[in-house]
PDB file of all heavy atoms in Angstrom:
ATOM      1  N   TRP A   1       7.555 -11.381  25.808  1.00 98.00           N
ATOM      2  CA  TRP A   1       6.603 -12.068  26.676  1.00 98.00           C
ATOM      3  C   TRP A   1       6.487 -13.526  26.279  1.00 98.00           C
ATOM      4  O   TRP A   1       6.891 -13.944  25.198  1.00 98.00           O
ATOM      5  CB  TRP A   1       5.240 -11.379  26.631  1.00 98.00           C
ATOM      6  CG  TRP A   1       4.366 -11.768  25.464  1.00 98.00           C
ATOM      7  CD1 TRP A   1       3.366 -12.689  25.451  1.00 98.00           C
ATOM      8  CD2 TRP A   1       4.425 -11.251  24.138  1.00 98.00           C
ATOM      9  NE1 TRP A   1       2.796 -12.776  24.206  1.00 98.00           N
ATOM     10  CE2 TRP A   1       3.428 -11.893  23.376  1.00 98.00           C
ATOM     11  CE3 TRP A   1       5.227 -10.293  23.494  1.00 98.00           C
ATOM     12  CZ2 TRP A   1       3.211 -11.636  22.032  1.00 98.00           C
ATOM     13  CZ3 TRP A   1       5.009 -10.024  22.154  1.00 98.00           C
ATOM     14  CH2 TRP A   1       4.020 -10.688  21.447  1.00 98.00           C
ATOM     15  N   GLY A   2       5.918 -14.284  27.179  1.00 97.00           N
ATOM     16  CA  GLY A   2       5.678 -15.701  26.931  1.00 97.00           C
ATOM     17  C   GLY A   2       4.628 -16.207  27.886  1.00 97.00           C
ATOM     18  O   GLY A   2       4.247 -15.534  28.846  1.00 97.00           O
ATOM     19  N   ALA A   3       4.136 -17.418  27.640  1.00 96.00           N
ATOM     20  CA  ALA A   3       3.107 -18.030  28.481  1.00 96.00           C
ATOM     21  C   ALA A   3       3.747 -18.769  29.649  1.00 96.00           C
ATOM     22  O   ALA A   3       4.812 -19.376  29.505  1.00 96.00           O
ATOM     23  CB  ALA A   3       2.235 -18.976  27.667  1.00 96.00           C
ATOM     24  N   VAL A   4       3.104 -18.712  30.793  1.00 96.00           N
ATOM     25  CA  VAL A   4       3.553 -19.437  31.974  1.00 96.00           C
ATOM     26  C   VAL A   4       3.065 -20.880  31.866  1.00 96.00           C
ATOM     27  O   VAL A   4       1.889 -21.132  31.594  1.00 96.00           O
ATOM     28  CB  VAL A   4       3.010 -18.783  33.254  1.00 96.00           C
ATOM     29  CG1 VAL A   4       3.439 -19.579  34.488  1.00 96.00           C
ATOM     30  CG2 VAL A   4       3.492 -17.335  33.351  1.00 96.00           C
ATOM     31  N   ASP A   5       3.968 -21.836  32.079  1.00 94.00           N
ATOM     32  CA  ASP A   5       3.566 -23.239  31.961  1.00 94.00           C
ATOM     33  C   ASP A   5       2.962 -23.748  33.269  1.00 94.00           C
ATOM     34  O   ASP A   5       2.846 -23.014  34.259  1.00 94.00           O
ATOM     35  CB  ASP A   5       4.742 -24.107  31.512  1.00 94.00           C
ATOM     36  CG  ASP A   5       5.877 -24.174  32.529  1.00 94.00           C
ATOM     37  OD1 ASP A   5       5.637 -23.939  33.729  1.00 94.00           O
ATOM     38  OD2 ASP A   5       7.017 -24.484  32.122  1.00 94.00           O
ATOM     39  N   GLY A   6       2.587 -25.020  33.274  1.00 91.00           N
ATOM     40  CA  GLY A   6       1.906 -25.600  34.423  1.00 91.00           C
ATOM     41  C   GLY A   6       2.744 -25.639  35.681  1.00 91.00           C
ATOM     42  O   GLY A   6       2.205 -25.780  36.781  1.00 91.00           O
ATOM     43  N   SER A   7       4.044 -25.507  35.539  1.00 93.00           N
ATOM     44  CA  SER A   7       4.927 -25.515  36.705  1.00 93.00           C
ATOM     45  C   SER A   7       5.271 -24.114  37.195  1.00 93.00           C
ATOM     46  O   SER A   7       6.086 -23.949  38.102  1.00 93.00           O
ATOM     47  CB  SER A   7       6.224 -26.264  36.366  1.00 93.00           C
ATOM     48  OG  SER A   7       5.943 -27.606  36.001  1.00 93.00           O
ATOM     49  N   GLY A   8       4.677 -23.114  36.541  1.00 92.00           N
ATOM     50  CA  GLY A   8       4.950 -21.736  36.923  1.00 92.00           C
ATOM     51  C   GLY A   8       6.158 -21.136  36.255  1.00 92.00           C
ATOM     52  O   GLY A   8       6.557 -20.010  36.577  1.00 92.00           O
ATOM     53  N   ASN A   9       6.759 -21.854  35.301  1.00 94.00           N
ATOM     54  CA  ASN A   9       7.919 -21.340  34.586  1.00 94.00           C
ATOM     55  C   ASN A   9       7.490 -20.541  33.363  1.00 94.00           C
ATOM     56  O   ASN A   9       6.445 -20.799  32.771  1.00 94.00           O
ATOM     57  CB  ASN A   9       8.820 -22.498  34.150  1.00 94.00           C
ATOM     58  CG  ASN A   9       9.308 -23.306  35.327  1.00 94.00           C
ATOM     59  OD1 ASN A   9       9.770 -22.758  36.325  1.00 94.00           O
ATOM     60  ND2 ASN A   9       9.196 -24.633  35.231  1.00 94.00           N
ATOM     61  N   CYS A  10       8.315 -19.591  32.975  1.00 95.00           N
ATOM     62  CA  CYS A  10       7.969 -18.742  31.826  1.00 95.00           C
ATOM     63  C   CYS A  10       9.229 -18.288  31.124  1.00 95.00           C
ATOM     64  O   CYS A  10      10.190 -17.847  31.775  1.00 95.00           O
ATOM     65  CB  CYS A  10       7.164 -17.526  32.296  1.00 95.00           C
ATOM     66  SG  CYS A  10       6.522 -16.519  30.943  1.00 95.00           S
ATOM     67  N   ASN A  11       9.243 -18.405  29.822  1.00 93.00           N
ATOM     68  CA  ASN A  11      10.373 -17.963  29.001  1.00 93.00           C
ATOM     69  C   ASN A  11       9.858 -16.928  28.003  1.00 93.00           C
ATOM     70  O   ASN A  11       9.238 -17.287  26.996  1.00 93.00           O
ATOM     71  CB  ASN A  11      10.995 -19.149  28.266  1.00 93.00           C
ATOM     72  CG  ASN A  11      12.229 -18.740  27.481  1.00 93.00           C
ATOM     73  OD1 ASN A  11      12.824 -17.697  27.730  1.00 93.00           O
ATOM     74  ND2 ASN A  11      12.617 -19.576  26.519  1.00 93.00           N
ATOM     75  N   PRO A  12      10.054 -15.640  28.268  1.00 97.00           N
ATOM     76  CA  PRO A  12       9.514 -14.601  27.380  1.00 97.00           C
ATOM     77  C   PRO A  12      10.324 -14.456  26.094  1.00 97.00           C
ATOM     78  O   PRO A  12      11.298 -13.704  26.028  1.00 97.00           O
ATOM     79  CB  PRO A  12       9.597 -13.334  28.240  1.00 97.00           C
ATOM     80  CG  PRO A  12      10.726 -13.592  29.178  1.00 97.00           C
ATOM     81  CD  PRO A  12      10.732 -15.070  29.437  1.00 97.00           C
ATOM     82  N   THR A  13       9.918 -15.173  25.051  1.00 95.00           N
ATOM     83  CA  THR A  13      10.653 -15.166  23.783  1.00 95.00           C
ATOM     84  C   THR A  13       9.969 -14.374  22.687  1.00 95.00           C
ATOM     85  O   THR A  13      10.614 -13.988  21.712  1.00 95.00           O
ATOM     86  CB  THR A  13      10.868 -16.601  23.292  1.00 95.00           C
ATOM     87  OG1 THR A  13       9.602 -17.255  23.167  1.00 95.00           O
ATOM     88  CG2 THR A  13      11.747 -17.381  24.268  1.00 95.00           C
ATOM     89  N   ASN A  14       8.646 -14.145  22.795  1.00 97.00           N
ATOM     90  CA  ASN A  14       7.960 -13.326  21.796  1.00 97.00           C
ATOM     91  C   ASN A  14       8.345 -11.864  21.992  1.00 97.00           C
ATOM     92  O   ASN A  14       8.377 -11.371  23.124  1.00 97.00           O
ATOM     93  CB  ASN A  14       6.441 -13.466  21.939  1.00 97.00           C
ATOM     94  CG  ASN A  14       5.986 -14.904  21.852  1.00 97.00           C
ATOM     95  OD1 ASN A  14       6.030 -15.506  20.801  1.00 97.00           O
ATOM     96  ND2 ASN A  14       5.566 -15.457  22.997  1.00 97.00           N
ATOM     97  N   SER A  15       8.642 -11.174  20.903  1.00 98.00           N
ATOM     98  CA  SER A  15       9.145  -9.810  21.022  1.00 98.00           C
ATOM     99  C   SER A  15       8.305  -8.839  20.202  1.00 98.00           C
ATOM    100  O   SER A  15       7.810  -9.185  19.126  1.00 98.00           O
ATOM    101  CB  SER A  15      10.609  -9.747  20.558  1.00 98.00           C
ATOM    102  OG  SER A  15      11.135  -8.441  20.714  1.00 98.00           O
ATOM    103  N   VAL A  16       8.140  -7.622  20.721  1.00 98.00           N
ATOM    104  CA  VAL A  16       7.436  -6.569  19.998  1.00 98.00           C
ATOM    105  C   VAL A  16       8.175  -5.253  20.231  1.00 98.00           C
ATOM    106  O   VAL A  16       8.677  -4.985  21.326  1.00 98.00           O
ATOM    107  CB  VAL A  16       5.970  -6.452  20.457  1.00 98.00           C
ATOM    108  CG1 VAL A  16       5.873  -6.100  21.926  1.00 98.00           C
ATOM    109  CG2 VAL A  16       5.213  -5.448  19.609  1.00 98.00           C
ATOM    110  N   THR A  17       8.270  -4.461  19.168  1.00 98.00           N
ATOM    111  CA  THR A  17       8.928  -3.160  19.265  1.00 98.00           C
ATOM    112  C   THR A  17       8.034  -2.166  19.989  1.00 98.00           C
ATOM    113  O   THR A  17       6.821  -2.128  19.763  1.00 98.00           O
ATOM    114  CB  THR A  17       9.274  -2.629  17.870  1.00 98.00           C
ATOM    115  OG1 THR A  17      10.145  -3.560  17.217  1.00 98.00           O
ATOM    116  CG2 THR A  17       9.943  -1.265  17.939  1.00 98.00           C
ATOM    117  N   ALA A  18       8.609  -1.359  20.856  1.00 98.00           N
ATOM    118  CA  ALA A  18       7.868  -0.348  21.609  1.00 98.00           C
ATOM    119  C   ALA A  18       8.006   1.015  20.934  1.00 98.00           C
ATOM    120  O   ALA A  18       8.951   1.275  20.179  1.00 98.00           O
ATOM    121  CB  ALA A  18       8.393  -0.275  23.041  1.00 98.00           C
ATOM    122  N   THR A  19       7.052   1.885  21.214  1.00 98.00           N
ATOM    123  CA  THR A  19       7.114   3.270  20.752  1.00 98.00           C
ATOM    124  C   THR A  19       7.371   4.174  21.943  1.00 98.00           C
ATOM    125  O   THR A  19       7.049   3.833  23.084  1.00 98.00           O
ATOM    126  CB  THR A  19       5.801   3.686  20.062  1.00 98.00           C
ATOM    127  OG1 THR A  19       4.713   3.535  20.993  1.00 98.00           O
ATOM    128  CG2 THR A  19       5.545   2.833  18.837  1.00 98.00           C
ATOM    129  N   LYS A  20       7.960   5.342  21.677  1.00 98.00           N
ATOM    130  CA  LYS A  20       8.369   6.230  22.766  1.00 98.00           C
ATOM    131  C   LYS A  20       7.831   7.637  22.561  1.00 98.00           C
ATOM    132  O   LYS A  20       7.575   8.075  21.434  1.00 98.00           O
ATOM    133  CB  LYS A  20       9.889   6.275  22.871  1.00 98.00           C
ATOM    134  CG  LYS A  20      10.586   6.960  21.705  1.00 98.00           C
ATOM    135  CD  LYS A  20      12.094   6.955  21.882  1.00 98.00           C
ATOM    136  CE  LYS A  20      12.807   7.751  20.789  1.00 98.00           C
ATOM    137  NZ  LYS A  20      12.602   7.182  19.441  1.00 98.00           N
ATOM    138  N   THR A  21       7.671   8.345  23.675  1.00 98.00           N
ATOM    139  CA  THR A  21       7.292   9.753  23.680  1.00 98.00           C
ATOM    140  C   THR A  21       8.105  10.452  24.748  1.00 98.00           C
ATOM    141  O   THR A  21       8.197   9.970  25.892  1.00 98.00           O
ATOM    142  CB  THR A  21       5.789   9.921  23.989  1.00 98.00           C
ATOM    143  OG1 THR A  21       5.028   9.193  23.032  1.00 98.00           O
ATOM    144  CG2 THR A  21       5.394  11.392  23.941  1.00 98.00           C
ATOM    145  N   GLY A  22       8.690  11.572  24.414  1.00 98.00           N
ATOM    146  CA  GLY A  22       9.492  12.310  25.375  1.00 98.00           C
ATOM    147  C   GLY A  22       8.637  13.062  26.383  1.00 98.00           C
ATOM    148  O   GLY A  22       7.558  13.559  26.059  1.00 98.00           O
ATOM    149  N   PHE A  23       9.108  13.145  27.622  1.00 98.00           N
ATOM    150  CA  PHE A  23       8.446  13.932  28.662  1.00 98.00           C
ATOM    151  C   PHE A  23       9.489  14.280  29.706  1.00 98.00           C
ATOM    152  O   PHE A  23      10.645  13.862  29.616  1.00 98.00           O
ATOM    153  CB  PHE A  23       7.276  13.161  29.279  1.00 98.00           C
ATOM    154  CG  PHE A  23       7.692  12.021  30.181  1.00 98.00           C
ATOM    155  CD1 PHE A  23       7.621  12.145  31.560  1.00 98.00           C
ATOM    156  CD2 PHE A  23       8.167  10.819  29.656  1.00 98.00           C
ATOM    157  CE1 PHE A  23       8.011  11.107  32.392  1.00 98.00           C
ATOM    158  CE2 PHE A  23       8.559   9.776  30.484  1.00 98.00           C
ATOM    159  CZ  PHE A  23       8.481   9.922  31.855  1.00 98.00           C
ATOM    160  N   GLN A  24       9.096  15.054  30.720  1.00 98.00           N
ATOM    161  CA  GLN A  24      10.021  15.464  31.766  1.00 98.00           C
ATOM    162  C   GLN A  24       9.436  15.202  33.144  1.00 98.00           C
ATOM    163  O   GLN A  24       8.238  15.383  33.369  1.00 98.00           O
ATOM    164  CB  GLN A  24      10.355  16.956  31.664  1.00 98.00           C
ATOM    165  CG  GLN A  24      11.241  17.321  30.494  1.00 98.00           C
ATOM    166  CD  GLN A  24      11.697  18.775  30.580  1.00 98.00           C
ATOM    167  OE1 GLN A  24      11.039  19.614  31.189  1.00 98.00           O
ATOM    168  NE2 GLN A  24      12.840  19.077  29.974  1.00 98.00           N
ATOM    169  N   VAL A  25      10.295  14.782  34.056  1.00 98.00           N
ATOM    170  CA  VAL A  25       9.980  14.725  35.475  1.00 98.00           C
ATOM    171  C   VAL A  25      10.952  15.649  36.183  1.00 98.00           C
ATOM    172  O   VAL A  25      12.169  15.434  36.125  1.00 98.00           O
ATOM    173  CB  VAL A  25      10.096  13.291  36.029  1.00 98.00           C
ATOM    174  CG1 VAL A  25       9.981  13.289  37.555  1.00 98.00           C
ATOM    175  CG2 VAL A  25       9.037  12.386  35.428  1.00 98.00           C
ATOM    176  N   ALA A  26      10.419  16.703  36.791  1.00 97.00           N
ATOM    177  CA  ALA A  26      11.252  17.668  37.521  1.00 97.00           C
ATOM    178  C   ALA A  26      12.415  18.172  36.663  1.00 97.00           C
ATOM    179  O   ALA A  26      13.548  18.304  37.144  1.00 97.00           O
ATOM    180  CB  ALA A  26      11.753  17.057  38.824  1.00 97.00           C
ATOM    181  N   GLY A  27      12.155  18.422  35.384  1.00 97.00           N
ATOM    182  CA  GLY A  27      13.161  18.955  34.480  1.00 97.00           C
ATOM    183  C   GLY A  27      14.083  17.925  33.861  1.00 97.00           C
ATOM    184  O   GLY A  27      14.930  18.274  33.033  1.00 97.00           O
ATOM    185  N   THR A  28      13.937  16.661  34.216  1.00 98.00           N
ATOM    186  CA  THR A  28      14.767  15.588  33.659  1.00 98.00           C
ATOM    187  C   THR A  28      14.076  14.977  32.452  1.00 98.00           C
ATOM    188  O   THR A  28      12.913  14.567  32.538  1.00 98.00           O
ATOM    189  CB  THR A  28      15.017  14.495  34.711  1.00 98.00           C
ATOM    190  OG1 THR A  28      15.677  15.070  35.842  1.00 98.00           O
ATOM    191  CG2 THR A  28      15.870  13.375  34.138  1.00 98.00           C
ATOM    192  N   ASN A  29      14.773  14.910  31.326  1.00 98.00           N
ATOM    193  CA  ASN A  29      14.203  14.336  30.104  1.00 98.00           C
ATOM    194  C   ASN A  29      14.159  12.813  30.197  1.00 98.00           C
ATOM    195  O   ASN A  29      15.153  12.173  30.540  1.00 98.00           O
ATOM    196  CB  ASN A  29      15.050  14.738  28.889  1.00 98.00           C
ATOM    197  CG  ASN A  29      14.945  16.214  28.584  1.00 98.00           C
ATOM    198  OD1 ASN A  29      13.876  16.814  28.716  1.00 98.00           O
ATOM    199  ND2 ASN A  29      16.055  16.824  28.185  1.00 98.00           N
ATOM    200  N   GLU A  30      12.995  12.261  29.879  1.00 98.00           N
ATOM    201  CA  GLU A  30      12.821  10.812  29.897  1.00 98.00           C
ATOM    202  C   GLU A  30      12.007  10.394  28.682  1.00 98.00           C
ATOM    203  O   GLU A  30      11.438  11.231  27.976  1.00 98.00           O
ATOM    204  CB  GLU A  30      12.117  10.374  31.192  1.00 98.00           C
ATOM    205  CG  GLU A  30      12.864  10.756  32.460  1.00 98.00           C
ATOM    206  CD  GLU A  30      12.191  10.259  33.727  1.00 98.00           C
ATOM    207  OE1 GLU A  30      11.371   9.323  33.638  1.00 98.00           O
ATOM    208  OE2 GLU A  30      12.484  10.803  34.810  1.00 98.00           O
ATOM    209  N   TYR A  31      11.939   9.093  28.458  1.00 98.00           N
ATOM    210  CA  TYR A  31      11.069   8.523  27.431  1.00 98.00           C
ATOM    211  C   TYR A  31       9.993   7.677  28.098  1.00 98.00           C
ATOM    212  O   TYR A  31      10.293   6.846  28.965  1.00 98.00           O
ATOM    213  CB  TYR A  31      11.852   7.620  26.475  1.00 98.00           C
ATOM    214  CG  TYR A  31      12.714   8.333  25.461  1.00 98.00           C
ATOM    215  CD1 TYR A  31      13.998   7.863  25.174  1.00 98.00           C
ATOM    216  CD2 TYR A  31      12.251   9.443  24.763  1.00 98.00           C
ATOM    217  CE1 TYR A  31      14.798   8.486  24.222  1.00 98.00           C
ATOM    218  CE2 TYR A  31      13.048  10.085  23.825  1.00 98.00           C
ATOM    219  CZ  TYR A  31      14.316   9.611  23.562  1.00 98.00           C
ATOM    220  OH  TYR A  31      15.110  10.227  22.622  1.00 98.00           O
ATOM    221  N   GLN A  32       8.755   7.901  27.694  1.00 98.00           N
ATOM    222  CA  GLN A  32       7.658   7.009  28.062  1.00 98.00           C
ATOM    223  C   GLN A  32       7.478   6.012  26.927  1.00 98.00           C
ATOM    224  O   GLN A  32       7.330   6.401  25.766  1.00 98.00           O
ATOM    225  CB  GLN A  32       6.368   7.813  28.280  1.00 98.00           C
ATOM    226  CG  GLN A  32       5.157   6.984  28.642  1.00 98.00           C
ATOM    227  CD  GLN A  32       5.177   6.489  30.084  1.00 98.00           C
ATOM    228  OE1 GLN A  32       5.931   6.966  30.918  1.00 98.00           O
ATOM    229  NE2 GLN A  32       4.344   5.507  30.376  1.00 98.00           N
ATOM    230  N   TRP A  33       7.492   4.712  27.258  1.00 99.00           N
ATOM    231  CA  TRP A  33       7.413   3.656  26.254  1.00 99.00           C
ATOM    232  C   TRP A  33       6.102   2.881  26.405  1.00 99.00           C
ATOM    233  O   TRP A  33       5.573   2.751  27.512  1.00 99.00           O
ATOM    234  CB  TRP A  33       8.563   2.662  26.423  1.00 99.00           C
ATOM    235  CG  TRP A  33       9.930   3.247  26.225  1.00 99.00           C
ATOM    236  CD1 TRP A  33      10.715   3.859  27.167  1.00 99.00           C
ATOM    237  CD2 TRP A  33      10.675   3.269  25.004  1.00 99.00           C
ATOM    238  NE1 TRP A  33      11.905   4.256  26.614  1.00 99.00           N
ATOM    239  CE2 TRP A  33      11.910   3.910  25.282  1.00 99.00           C
ATOM    240  CE3 TRP A  33      10.437   2.805  23.709  1.00 99.00           C
ATOM    241  CZ2 TRP A  33      12.895   4.090  24.316  1.00 99.00           C
ATOM    242  CZ3 TRP A  33      11.417   2.978  22.748  1.00 99.00           C
ATOM    243  CH2 TRP A  33      12.624   3.624  23.049  1.00 99.00           C
ATOM    244  N   LYS A  34       5.613   2.350  25.280  1.00 98.00           N
ATOM    245  CA  LYS A  34       4.496   1.412  25.354  1.00 98.00           C
ATOM    246  C   LYS A  34       4.664   0.361  24.273  1.00 98.00           C
ATOM    247  O   LYS A  34       5.158   0.634  23.180  1.00 98.00           O
ATOM    248  CB  LYS A  34       3.146   2.111  25.223  1.00 98.00           C
ATOM    249  CG  LYS A  34       2.807   2.655  23.853  1.00 98.00           C
ATOM    250  CD  LYS A  34       1.379   3.206  23.822  1.00 98.00           C
ATOM    251  CE  LYS A  34       0.987   3.666  22.428  1.00 98.00           C
ATOM    252  NZ  LYS A  34      -0.411   4.182  22.386  1.00 98.00           N
ATOM    253  N   ALA A  35       4.246  -0.852  24.607  1.00 98.00           N
ATOM    254  CA  ALA A  35       4.308  -1.974  23.672  1.00 98.00           C
ATOM    255  C   ALA A  35       3.026  -2.777  23.812  1.00 98.00           C
ATOM    256  O   ALA A  35       2.654  -3.175  24.927  1.00 98.00           O
ATOM    257  CB  ALA A  35       5.521  -2.855  23.967  1.00 98.00           C
ATOM    258  N   LYS A  36       2.360  -3.001  22.713  1.00 98.00           N
ATOM    259  CA  LYS A  36       1.125  -3.781  22.728  1.00 98.00           C
ATOM    260  C   LYS A  36       1.453  -5.251  22.519  1.00 98.00           C
ATOM    261  O   LYS A  36       2.057  -5.635  21.521  1.00 98.00           O
ATOM    262  CB  LYS A  36       0.162  -3.308  21.639  1.00 98.00           C
ATOM    263  CG  LYS A  36      -1.152  -4.076  21.608  1.00 98.00           C
ATOM    264  CD  LYS A  36      -2.082  -3.548  20.532  1.00 98.00           C
ATOM    265  CE  LYS A  36      -3.377  -4.348  20.468  1.00 98.00           C
ATOM    266  NZ  LYS A  36      -4.299  -3.851  19.410  1.00 98.00           N
ATOM    267  N   LEU A  37       1.047  -6.091  23.484  1.00 98.00           N
ATOM    268  CA  LEU A  37       1.247  -7.521  23.389  1.00 98.00           C
ATOM    269  C   LEU A  37      -0.023  -8.160  22.848  1.00 98.00           C
ATOM    270  O   LEU A  37      -1.082  -8.073  23.466  1.00 98.00           O
ATOM    271  CB  LEU A  37       1.579  -8.126  24.754  1.00 98.00           C
ATOM    272  CG  LEU A  37       2.672  -7.442  25.589  1.00 98.00           C
ATOM    273  CD1 LEU A  37       2.978  -8.284  26.823  1.00 98.00           C
ATOM    274  CD2 LEU A  37       3.918  -7.182  24.771  1.00 98.00           C
ATOM    275  N   SER A  38       0.064  -8.778  21.677  1.00 96.00           N
ATOM    276  CA  SER A  38      -1.065  -9.511  21.101  1.00 96.00           C
ATOM    277  C   SER A  38      -0.911 -10.967  21.514  1.00 96.00           C
ATOM    278  O   SER A  38      -0.216 -11.745  20.861  1.00 96.00           O
ATOM    279  CB  SER A  38      -1.071  -9.349  19.581  1.00 96.00           C
ATOM    280  OG  SER A  38      -1.244  -7.977  19.234  1.00 96.00           O
ATOM    281  N   LEU A  39      -1.570 -11.325  22.584  1.00 95.00           N
ATOM    282  CA  LEU A  39      -1.317 -12.595  23.248  1.00 95.00           C
ATOM    283  C   LEU A  39      -1.869 -13.784  22.480  1.00 95.00           C
ATOM    284  O   LEU A  39      -1.323 -14.873  22.528  1.00 95.00           O
ATOM    285  CB  LEU A  39      -1.914 -12.558  24.654  1.00 95.00           C
ATOM    286  CG  LEU A  39      -1.463 -11.358  25.509  1.00 95.00           C
ATOM    287  CD1 LEU A  39      -2.260 -11.294  26.795  1.00 95.00           C
ATOM    288  CD2 LEU A  39       0.021 -11.426  25.797  1.00 95.00           C
ATOM    289  N   GLY A  40      -2.998 -13.583  21.818  1.00 88.00           N
ATOM    290  CA  GLY A  40      -3.554 -14.624  20.969  1.00 88.00           C
ATOM    291  C   GLY A  40      -4.312 -15.706  21.704  1.00 88.00           C
ATOM    292  O   GLY A  40      -4.966 -16.537  21.086  1.00 88.00           O
ATOM    293  N   THR A  41      -4.245 -15.733  23.023  1.00 86.00           N
ATOM    294  CA  THR A  41      -4.935 -16.754  23.788  1.00 86.00           C
ATOM    295  C   THR A  41      -5.149 -16.250  25.198  1.00 86.00           C
ATOM    296  O   THR A  41      -4.601 -15.201  25.586  1.00 86.00           O
ATOM    297  CB  THR A  41      -4.125 -18.067  23.829  1.00 86.00           C
ATOM    298  OG1 THR A  41      -4.890 -19.069  24.498  1.00 86.00           O
ATOM    299  CG2 THR A  41      -2.804 -17.872  24.546  1.00 86.00           C
TER     300      THR A  41
END
């Protein structure tokens, strides 16, 4: 993620590792992911 500047541009360079949990949709195995962004501002 990154902050949007005054011109509406954004370069998402901050990175955070996500965690995963397995689940199924209609018998298909998938991963549900989540990542907490600590924006600081």
Side-chain angles (χ1 to χ4, degrees):
W1 83 98
V4 178
D5 65 23
S7 300
N9 301 313
C10 187
N11 184 19
T13 57
N14 304 290
S15 182
V16 61
T17 301
T19 59
K20 68 180 185 297
T21 303
F23 73 104
Q24 288 189 335
V25 171
T28 301
N29 291 322
E30 301 183 20
Y31 284 138
Q32 179 75 15
W33 297 87
K34 71 174 184 179
K36 180 179 178 180
L37 311 187
S38 298
L39 307 172
T41 185

